[in-house]
Amino acid sequence: MNFILTLAYLFFVGSVSGWVLELFFRKFFSASNPEHKWINPGFCTGPYLPIYGFGLCALYLLALLGRETGLDGSIQGRVLLFLGMAVSMTLIEYIGGLMLLKGAKIRLWDYSNCRGNVQGLICPLFSFFWALLGAGYYFLIHPHILTALAWFLENLAFSFVIGFFFGVFLVDMALSAHWAARIKAFADENGVIVKVENLKAHIRSAQERASARVHFFFAFRSERPLAEHLREAHEAVEKIRQKRKNDAA
């Protein structure tokens, strides 16, 4: 039981922390956000990204495995440990991206411009970043995670907060599934893959032009039907592609 509560706690911490990390990355560093606006990352409504929740659980389990097997007792062993962390994070990223891409025709990120990428979902460059993140986790975060877990297991009343989080999370997943189904219907009808960040940016721009309220968390909510935004966003992308093709010719 304690093990399940531990993983639930780590999923909660990782999901929220990953959301904050992506929020600042997209604000200040993302090329898909040239105007540097605050954009709610991911597909969920709330402030969490499940992929980072699974990632933190994986890093925690691998760090424990490294300690139990003595793998972290040498430099070579730690290098192997960090490589294992990079592989595990890359697999989580690939599986999550592939499920959305094949199941809902949705692309949350695109590494197509990176060398050695696989379906634009993973690439060596970001696997390297995952290795660095794993090393950073091991040296800087894991000791504090152990301390936090010890506190959590001594104060199980806090599990109410975790339970509340998962309750909200499940409702959010149902809402996200509703939006995903509507996007998939458009994608199937037009034979396209929908890039969520482009769609969010289009809805935001349309709301601003109409002097309507811009929803940060409810990024797909608009006074106009979602299908109209999908069609306009797709047409805008096609115009850009056609212009590039004409310029190249």
Side-chain angles (χ1 to χ4, degrees):
M1 186 63 179
N2 284 348
F3 180 70
I4 295 176
L5 285 175
T6 295
L7 293 182
Y9 174 75
L10 289 172
F11 183 86
F12 161 70
V13 172
S15 297
V16 175
S17 300
W19 182 87
V20 173
L21 179 65
E22 287 282 344
L23 180 69
F24 281 92
F25 175 80
R26 294 178 187 275
K27 164 69 173 176
F28 297 106
F29 304 106
S30 177
S32 62
N33 183 22
E35 298 179 356
H36 299 290
K37 294 182 178 180
W38 293 106
I39 297 176
N40 183 14
F43 198 78
C44 293
T45 299
Y48 35 74
L49 291 174
I51 192 171
Y52 282 92
F54 289 114
L56 182 59
C57 290
L59 294 180
Y60 169 78
L61 293 174
L62 286 171
L64 286 186
L65 180 64
R67 177 168 296 182
E68 291 294 327
T69 59
L71 192 64
D72 61 353
S74 64
I75 294 177
Q76 295 88 341
R78 288 182 177 178
V79 170
L80 288 175
L81 180 61
F82 301 150
L83 287 176
M85 290 179 173
V87 170
S88 66
M89 293 295 291
T90 300
L91 283 175
I92 291 172
E93 186 177 36
Y94 181 72
I95 292 171
L98 190 63
M99 288 175 62
L100 283 171
L101 188 62
K102 298 297 184 181
K105 304 296 178 63
I106 290 171
R107 185 180 288 278
L108 281 180
W109 60 87
D110 190 1
Y111 301 150
S112 297
N113 294 327
C114 297
R115 291 184 178 180
N117 74 86
V118 178
Q119 297 175 268
L121 298 174
I122 57 175
C123 68
L125 177 62
F126 275 82
S127 293
F128 172 72
F129 289 152
W130 291 132
L132 293 181
L133 180 65
Y137 166 81
Y138 180 82
F139 290 112
L140 302 176
I141 300 175
H142 187 65
H144 299 290
I145 287 288
L146 295 177
T147 302
L149 286 174
W151 175 88
F152 173 64
L153 294 176
E154 292 175 0
N155 298 270
L156 291 180
F158 186 74
S159 60
F160 171 79
V161 177
I162 306 300
F164 178 78
F165 163 79
F166 276 98
V168 173
F169 176 70
L170 290 175
V171 173
D172 196 339
M173 290 297 290
L175 178 62
S176 298
H178 166 72
W179 290 117
R182 296 178 65 180
I183 292 174
K184 183 178 185 298
F186 173 86
D188 287 338
E189 182 180 347
N190 293 273
V192 297
I193 299 296
V194 176
K195 290 187 177 182
V196 169
E197 295 306 316
N198 290 346
L199 176 60
K200 285 183 179 180
H202 176 80
I203 294 175
R204 184 186 186 98
S205 297
Q207 294 291 88
E208 290 175 345
R209 289 195 302 269
S211 298
R213 181 183 176 185
V214 176
H215 299 273
F216 176 75
F217 285 109
F218 295 92
F220 301 118
R221 181 174 293 177
S222 170
E223 296 178 355
R224 296 167 55 199
L226 180 63
E228 290 186 14
H229 289 294
L230 282 164
R231 184 176 61 255
E232 291 174 1
H234 174 61
E235 289 174 355
V237 170
E238 287 301 313
K239 287 180 180 178
I240 293 173
R241 287 178 178 172
Q242 187 62 41
K243 184 178 184 302
R244 288 176 178 173
K245 186 180 294 185
N246 293 337
D247 291 343

